[in-house]
Amino acid sequence: CVVRPNRETIDSRFLMHVLNSPEGRQGIAKHITGTTRQRISRTNLGKIQIPFPPLAEQKRIAAILDAADALRARRRE
């Protein structure tokens, strides 16, 4: 399923971090179909409840998580 958030209300980096979090993956796993090639439909993706803080807060959180991801990547190298 391709996700294109409304840029006026949702930061795409924040959404990516939410969906890739353990809680996000758990929510998605409940609605996945297919055995060989797993997928989720737009309808089922819409059933997942995601709390969205104000856009400025989303951007702040996403920046912190991006920095943490970059730090982890540098440490792995």
Side-chain angles (χ1 to χ4, degrees):
C1 177
V2 176
V3 178
R4 291 186 186 96
N6 178 343
R7 292 182 179 175
E8 294 177 11
T9 57
I10 299 173
D11 181 72
S12 60
R13 299 294 301 170
F14 177 81
L15 180 60
M16 185 256 329
H17 286 292
V18 169
L19 293 177
N20 286 326
S21 71
E23 294 82 7
R25 288 181 178 265
Q26 187 177 36
I28 291 170
K30 293 177 185 176
H31 301 286
I32 286 179
T33 59
T35 53
T36 304
R37 185 172 163 207
Q38 295 182 335
R39 58 197 166 278
I40 185 168
S41 68
R42 284 181 183 248
T43 302
N44 285 340
L45 189 60
K47 294 177 183 177
I48 299 170
Q49 296 291 315
I50 300 173
F52 287 101
L55 186 58
E57 184 70 4
Q58 291 177 43
K59 290 182 180 194
R60 187 184 74 76
I61 293 168
I64 291 168
L65 295 173
D66 286 342
D69 284 347
L71 181 59
R72 280 191 291 272
R74 284 195 302 270
R75 286 183 178 167
R76 267 185 254 128
E77 290 175 1

